[in-house]
Amino acid sequence: MIDPVLLFGLALVAGAPLALSPLPTALAAALAAAALRRRAGRAALAAAALALVTGGLRARALLDDARGLYGSAAALLQPPARCEVTGAVISSPVVVGAAQRPAGEAPTARIDVELSGGTCGGRALPGPLRARLHGAPLDLARGDRLEVVVDLAPIHLFRNEGLRDATAAIARSGIVASGSIVDARRAAEGRSIGAAVDRARAAVRGRIEATFHPEAAALGRALVLGETDLAPEDQDAFRESGLAHLLAVSGTHLILAVAGFAAVARALLVRVDPIAARWDAGRITAALCVPAAWLYADFAGGGGSAMRAAAMLSCAMCARLAGLRPAGVRCFALSLAGAAAVDPLVACDLSFGLSAAATAGLLWLQRPLAALLVPGEGGRGDDCADGGPPGARSSSSSPRALARKVLAPLATTLAAMFGCAPLLLMNGETFPLLGVAANIVAAPIGELAALPFCLAHAVLSWAPSVERGCALVGSGALLAVRAVARASADTGVVLRLPEPSPAQLSALAAAIALAWAAERRARRLAALAAGAAAWLLLEIVAVRAGAPRGVLRVSVLDVGQGDAILIDLPEGGAMLVDAGGFVGSPVDPGARVIRPLLRSRRRARLDAVVLSHPHPDHFGGLPAVVEGVEVGELWDTGQGEAEGAGPVYAKLLSDLRRRGVPVVRPASLCGRPRALSGATVEVLAPCPDLHPDRGANDNSFVLRITHGAHAALLVGDAEHEAEEALVARYGAALRADLLKVGHHGSRTSTGPALLAAVDPAVAAVTCGVRNRYGHPSPEVLSRLSARGVAIARMDRGGALIWETDGERVRWSRPGEPPSPAPARRGAAEGTAAPER
């Protein structure tokens, strides 16, 4: 029979997927219940169904509340405001950006604060508001009361159809705003256990910075404190090599730390005669290990992985305390159920998911893999379960024993990697084919040298010479692990796979349930084969949905204060117009939004990439985009090359030319409508070439894209001068159903004459929730409303998807079903424009 507690825990965790993807999750749950009905019992399945529904309702309620919180914050902080407020620190300070900090510049921290009084932009703060603040002093701790002056803005959610809902992060943390500290004063110190833990973290952080090799300090902080602010090249190397887990605070770290504590505690207890004579030192040690596990998990950053491991270890220690034998599966089940009971959206925590998936792989895959690698080993799996040491029945020098010593780590690594594979595919573009080999080389260094010496270093400040020795060994081990990660990543031997869709993950879950329930090997293989077939069939569906035939689909993306428009063409091709970006922002919209969206839509090629004009909020994300896809040609006005648009723009052109991508200028595009993959693309400006007396905005590419009877007009950042020239030259030929409003809705664009000529039904305004320019202008909104144009603002509701089959038009926003677009209204006076 299947453990009913495990079913209950899995169902409770699945509440979050049910809230986010109801149909695939419900279907997978129904198939799993049908498969497990004989091995679980009706009562267990009924309890699991109740847990699934309850978890889904709780998760849905949290998501709805989060949207309300975010809406209130956006109303208060749009445009961004300078706030003079008081608040309390609610998270451990975390050093960020240390690897990129100029030499000699003092480090700062990121903190989460609950603001509860003061003003923002001259308006009173109406109630508690949680914000993430940068530039905080390192000596702060949870519970500290602050008086701060901060530049605050709503966080940007980047709401785009096909990407994960960022609202879950708000629902889990309550953080709805972020900003930089201008001035801060601590009014009162926190006195909680959390404050004491944070001060201990600060002390250990200081000792790591003082004693570790400079290139290993960030690695040491990641390993001991959970602060992952590595240099970008190191972050990429650890991710692409499959070694990121060696720097994460995982269950292995926690068990090693608590085991060391337990060994010391037991050694002391057995030497105290009154205690040793009357009580079981092992049980006392088990009782002490429970709070020790939670304190260490909190000290190490309180991530989902560490907290889940602490829960699992606590379960085992409680069983030991009660005189029972810990059962790994039951402890795993209770850790899942407890986490989901506290946080219904815990499945959205990547570290928790990877930890749970790796543990599941070890529990259910390690023995079969060991049996596969070492013939005859399958029956030996019970040795560990029965408490006997592996290999107790055979000579340690026999060939089988030697093979076991060599291949057992391989089976363990494979089991953990197979368990994590779906999550790794969801959160990265590549799967490391050399990850197993890299783990076999690096894992012993990390777990036998780096981890124990770094943990010992954290408690040896009272013995400076020993502390320095630990720092030396720990630094060397960490740098060796980094060298393996870099060497593995440099080979480029990775598998590029598309992101699994919710339907594919649901099919995988159902197939695992069927295989789990099967009693014969043939049926298990058949269940897995059926799951693989369903996966491939759903992949075909995803490919067709990503490149619909017979449809022109224009996706005006939410990338913040910038333009990015992905166009799916009727015969399967695609083009990208701009890619967002903003000077000084740490977020690259190309890597954050556009590449994941292309991956979600199974797009490996762009027939044309168009740079409307050489401003950073239009080309900043392009380098990250073109790095990962095949590009047919780049359309560029040439103004950036003529006048110099900076190193990012210059490198973009250089890299594309080196790849043999043609760079096409206006002279080759104007007056020659192109039939591009079933659509007609007309370049209307700057024609016949650049206008030397105009700035970059008024030299923007203006594109009219037509399919059948309907068209979209994209005007870049064209302002009044360019608009007047367009109207004078083309007049009613500018007609279009969709207008991408010029210059983010600035008052210098979208004049009455252009609106009358275009006569749009829908207007897309590419402004960001954090913009300080007052975009969109009330004047522009008023003009659009007066004509009855439906307005789609990216800062309210996220991306716009507009599509036509040549006869009918429909449009939608993220989370909404598509609906027919309104017909062009002409100059309908006094008609209020719908805003979605």
Side-chain angles (χ1 to χ4, degrees):
M1 295 296 289
I2 292 171
D3 188 333
V5 179
L6 179 60
L7 278 182
F8 184 85
L10 290 171
L12 208 56
V13 170
L18 181 65
L20 294 167
S21 301
L23 185 58
T25 305
L27 182 58
L31 291 173
L36 299 173
R37 67 186 185 280
R38 292 182 180 178
R39 296 187 59 190
R42 292 183 179 179
L45 288 176
L50 180 62
L52 176 64
V53 173
T54 302
L57 292 174
R58 292 179 65 206
R60 184 76 263 161
L62 285 175
L63 291 170
D64 292 341
D65 289 346
R67 290 190 176 92
L69 281 175
Y70 183 76
S72 299
L76 175 69
L77 299 173
Q78 200 173 6
R82 174 155 292 188
C83 302
E84 298 179 4
V85 289
T86 61
V89 180
I90 59 174
S91 72
S92 299
V94 176
V95 173
V96 291
Q100 292 80 43
R101 189 174 62 246
E105 183 177 313
T108 58
R110 182 195 71 210
I111 57 173
D112 294 340
V113 177
E114 183 165 289
L115 307 175
S116 56
T119 61
C120 286
R123 292 175 290 175
L125 192 66
L129 182 147
R130 289 191 172 189
R132 179 157 293 168
L133 305 183
H134 297 261
L138 291 178
D139 61 349
L140 293 178
R142 279 169 287 179
D144 285 356
R145 298 290 305 178
L146 303 178
E147 295 177 356
V148 294
V149 178
V150 58
D151 290 326
L152 207 59
I155 61 173
H156 209 304
L157 297 182
F158 298 108
R159 291 169 286 191
N160 294 277
E161 195 68 42
L163 302 184
R164 266 163 279 167
D165 188 352
T167 310
I170 297 177
R172 299 187 68 237
S173 67
I175 305 297
V176 293
S178 65
S180 300
I181 292 176
V182 177
D183 185 43
R185 186 182 74 85
R186 180 162 45 198
E189 286 191 355
R191 300 294 182 184
S192 65
I193 293 175
V197 169
D198 288 345
R199 293 188 178 99
R201 283 170 54 86
V204 171
R205 183 188 299 116
R207 297 310 303 159
I208 289 175
E209 293 289 347
T211 58
F212 272 55
H213 187 282
E215 292 190 15
L219 302 173
R221 287 190 289 103
L223 187 66
V224 177
L225 301 175
E227 296 181 346
T228 53
D229 64 318
L230 306 183
E233 58 271 19
D234 286 341
Q235 288 179 335
D236 293 341
F238 275 94
R239 184 185 66 253
E240 293 172 7
S241 64
L243 297 179
H245 67 94
L246 291 180
L247 294 183
V249 181
S250 64
T252 302
H253 297 58
L254 186 137
I255 290 170
L256 183 58
V258 175
F261 168 80
V264 173
R266 183 180 176 87
L268 293 175
L269 289 171
V270 297
R271 285 167 173 76
V272 180
D273 292 336
I275 295 177
R278 297 184 59 185
W279 292 291
D280 182 349
R283 289 191 178 185
I284 297 175
T285 302
L288 294 174
C289 283
V290 173
W294 291 102
L295 282 172
Y296 178 73
D298 188 43
F299 172 84
S305 172
M307 290 300 183
R308 193 209 61 79
M312 192 168 175
L313 184 60
S314 296
C315 174
M317 291 299 102
C318 288
R320 174 71 179 87
L321 185 60
L324 302 174
R325 185 171 182 183
V329 172
R330 178 59 61 85
C331 291
F332 175 63
L334 289 172
S335 73
L336 296 180
V342 173
D343 179 3
L345 289 165
V346 72
C348 299
D349 184 330
L350 177 60
S351 66
F352 174 88
L354 289 173
S355 172
T359 302
L362 293 173
L363 285 172
W364 284 283
L365 297 178
Q366 199 272 341
R367 290 175 188 169
L369 288 172
L372 184 65
L373 294 173
V374 185
E377 188 66 11
R380 305 200 55 80
D382 290 340
D383 288 347
C384 292
D386 293 338
R393 302 176 192 172
S394 62
S395 168
S396 61
S397 60
S398 68
R400 181 171 293 174
L402 292 175
R404 185 183 305 116
K405 289 180 180 179
V406 173
L407 296 176
L410 177 59
T412 300
T413 299
L414 284 172
M417 288 189 69
F418 286 160
C420 293
L423 290 177
L424 292 174
L425 288 176
M426 286 179 63
N427 292 277
E429 297 181 3
T430 60
F431 189 81
L433 291 179
L434 294 181
V436 174
N439 270 277
I440 290 175
V441 175
I445 303 172
E447 295 178 359
L448 300 179
L451 180 57
F453 280 96
C454 288
L455 291 177
H457 172 273
V459 295
L460 287 171
S461 59
W462 51 272
S465 58
V466 182
E467 180 194 43
R468 286 193 296 272
C470 287
L472 180 63
V473 176
S475 294
L478 287 170
L479 292 175
V481 170
R482 186 183 72 171
V484 175
R486 287 182 172 181
S488 177
D490 287 345
T491 63
V493 183
V494 295
L495 187 62
R496 294 188 178 274
L497 294 171
E499 178 181 353
S501 67
Q504 286 176 311
L505 293 174
S506 297
L508 175 64
I512 291 173
L514 288 168
W516 192 13
E519 297 178 357
R520 297 180 182 179
R521 182 178 180 183
R523 291 185 177 180
R524 290 175 187 160
L525 293 177
L528 295 176
W535 184 288
L536 292 175
L537 178 62
L538 291 168
E539 181 63 23
I540 294 172
V541 172
V543 169
R544 291 184 174 179
R549 297 296 176 130
V551 172
L552 173 66
R553 181 169 63 186
V554 179
S555 300
V556 185
L557 303 180
D558 177 11
V559 292
Q561 183 66 12
D563 275 19
I565 305 167
L566 179 61
I567 303 164
D568 297 301
L569 301 168
E571 293 179 0
M575 62 189 297
L576 177 69
V577 180
D578 296 328
F582 202 74
V583 175
S585 172
V587 178
D588 182 343
R592 174 74 176 269
V593 175
I594 303 172
R595 273 179 62 169
L597 185 61
L598 291 173
R599 184 170 175 245
S600 173
R601 293 189 181 180
R602 278 56 178 170
R603 289 285 190 188
R605 173 183 168 82
L606 293 169
D607 295 87
V609 172
V610 181
L611 174 55
S612 66
H613 63 291
H615 280 170
D617 58 332
H618 293 254
F619 69 69
L622 280 177
V625 174
V626 301
E627 178 186 344
V629 297
E630 179 186 352
V631 177
E633 55 189 20
L634 173 70
W635 298 5
D636 178 45
T637 64
Q639 189 167 13
E641 208 163 26
E643 300 179 4
V648 174
Y649 169 85
K651 187 175 185 303
L652 171 69
L653 262 62
S654 173
D655 289 347
L656 288 176
R657 282 172 170 151
R658 187 171 61 251
R659 288 166 54 180
V661 176
V663 179
V664 186
R665 304 297 192 195
S668 302
L669 297 167
C670 290
R672 304 173 186 178
R674 285 202 175 193
L676 190 61
S677 192
T680 300
V681 182
E682 301 171 83
V683 175
L684 306 182
C687 291
D689 210 330
L690 285 172
H691 296 270
D693 57 337
R694 295 181 188 172
N697 285 352
D698 277 324
N699 269 312
S700 291
F701 270 128
V702 175
L703 308 180
R704 187 173 184 268
I705 306 170
T706 307
H707 178 50
H710 299 282
L713 184 68
L714 314 179
V715 299
D717 276 2
E719 300 183 88
H720 287 331
E721 186 176 0
E723 290 181 0
E724 291 168 1
L726 284 169
V727 172
R729 182 169 184 176
Y730 299 103
L734 293 172
R735 291 266 192 238
D737 302 83
L738 169 67
L739 171 66
K740 200 292 296 183
V741 170
H743 201 197
H744 320 290
S746 166
R747 60 182 177 82
T748 59
S749 301
T750 322
L754 180 75
L755 275 178
V758 178
D759 189 20
V762 181
V765 186
T766 55
C767 56
V769 72
R770 299 174 69 92
N771 87 83
R772 298 178 181 274
Y773 309 108
H775 296 161
S777 163
E779 301 164 29
V780 170
L781 296 178
S782 177
R783 284 197 289 269
L784 292 168
S785 295
R787 296 192 62 85
V789 181
I791 303 169
R793 293 172 53 168
M794 302 305 104
D795 62 337
R796 296 185 182 177
L800 166 72
I801 297 179
W802 177 92
E803 60 185 26
T804 178
D805 60 2
E807 297 179 0
R808 294 172 300 275
V809 172
R810 63 179 188 171
W811 64 308
S812 64
R813 311 296 298 275
E816 298 179 5
S819 61
R824 286 198 296 260
R825 298 291 301 274
E829 295 297 331
T831 303
E835 194 171 299
R836 292 174 58 184

